[in-house]
Amino acid sequence: MVYGALDIGGTKIAGALVGADGALVARARRPTPAQGSAEELMAAVSSVLDELSRHPRWAHLASLGIGSAGPVDTVAGTVSPVNIPAWRGFPLAERVAAHPRTPVGLRPVLVGDAVAMTAAEHWKGAARGVDNALCMVVSTGVGGGLVLGGAVHAGPSGNAGHIGHISVEQNGPFCPCGARGCVERFASGTAIAAHALEAGWTPPPGVAPTAAAVAVAARGGDPDARAAFDRAGRALAAAVAATAALVELDLVVVGGGVAQAGRRSSARSAATWPTTRSWTSPAACRSCAPPWTSTPG
């Protein structure tokens, strides 16, 4: 028996087969044509499914989960990722079910990508055994999920804990979600790179202007690069503190490409910080230390 998984993000579309013990059996990955048409995007998903279905253990597929950038509608099976404009109310679960190699009668289960990450961290990762946790993905976008009372809390539509669209600045920049000052407009990799460029930072010749390049410059002392990460860190800290005040967290787990930009004092694949009941918890704020410092493990 194996489980199938699809991860739909603004940078990549990934898939995997996972054993009942959580061990990785196979994986596939394609770049996301984020500015492409709805069918171009679906073709990338189909290509991932094609590759996974060629693995011998696909014949033993027990279930298939989809974690997508949000918002999602788990009841309707549709996705409307903020960073994938061609998909608005796109029937992704239905289209995956209709793939020629999807077993007859198997219905894909759709959740937000950060909720999927939260379930994984609570099952096998940094939040294992924790009753109340916030798990965040800081990458092309910013997402989040909640563990409350020892169980993953996805909410009726599958979007609970979507910390990337908490507003942290009332008159901040407009977000494609329709609000202003969302965390994602400050702390996503896209926002970090854009802010650094606007402030005057320039990447070395031949280097793409990405958040990873900004992190390298920040560690080298570039003031504009440091300012971009400081800005991101403050936004993340404000959102974490607000969430801790609302639901009383025991732990915050931060993963994703941007979260890996800095040095860590632990060997874990995701950075973790214990929190206290107080929204002023120093640990919650330290979780957003900039990448040129040692972050607590």
Side-chain angles (χ1 to χ4, degrees):
M1 180 176 68
V2 294
Y3 304 112
L6 287 172
D7 175 24
I8 312 297
T11 301
K12 70 179 186 304
I13 294 171
L17 296 179
V18 180
D21 60 353
L24 182 66
V25 173
R27 59 183 173 187
R29 175 172 170 166
R30 301 290 185 273
T32 302
Q35 301 306 314
S37 68
E39 291 306 315
E40 288 173 326
L41 287 154
M42 190 62 214
V45 175
S46 295
S47 179
V48 168
L49 288 169
D50 289 341
E51 182 174 340
L52 291 177
S53 67
R54 289 193 289 269
H55 193 279
R57 292 187 64 181
W58 180 265
H60 304 287
L61 188 68
S63 60
L64 179 58
I66 306 170
S68 175
V72 302
D73 185 332
T74 57
V75 176
T78 59
V79 301
S80 304
V82 171
N83 53 359
I84 303 178
W87 276 0
R88 290 294 176 266
F90 186 78
L92 182 59
E94 178 184 323
R95 294 292 298 272
V96 170
H99 187 274
R101 298 301 304 275
T102 300
V104 175
L106 189 150
R107 300 300 302 174
V109 177
L110 173 68
V111 296
D113 56 356
V115 173
M117 175 261 200
T118 300
E121 292 292 344
H122 194 234
W123 178 32
K124 290 288 186 180
R128 188 173 184 175
V130 176
D131 286 339
N132 302 288
L134 168 66
C135 297
M136 300 172 61
V137 179
V138 187
S139 188
T140 307
V142 178
L146 292 168
V147 175
L148 298 177
V152 175
H153 178 77
S157 70
N159 295 291
H162 202 335
I163 195 169
H165 293 284
I166 288 179
S167 179
V168 292
E169 185 174 326
Q170 186 175 8
N171 297 312
F174 282 106
C175 179
C177 77
R180 297 190 71 147
C182 289
V183 173
E184 192 166 282
R185 303 302 290 169
F186 294 88
S188 67
T190 306
I192 289 168
H195 184 75
L197 287 168
E198 290 170 4
W201 170 78
T202 55
V207 175
T210 63
V214 178
V216 171
R219 286 193 292 270
D222 184 284
D224 295 323
R226 287 194 171 201
F229 269 96
D230 280 339
R231 178 177 180 263
R234 290 191 187 96
L236 287 171
V240 168
T243 306
L246 188 64
V247 296
E248 293 192 347
L249 299 170
D250 302 316
L251 187 75
V252 175
V253 180
V254 186
V258 173
Q260 306 304 320
R263 294 174 292 154
R264 296 171 309 210
S265 58
S266 75
R268 293 183 178 183
S269 60
T272 65
W273 296 273
T275 65
T276 67
R277 291 185 177 184
S278 170
W279 69 270
T280 57
S281 165
C285 295
R286 285 200 304 270
S287 69
C288 303
W292 53 88
T293 65
S294 294
T295 56

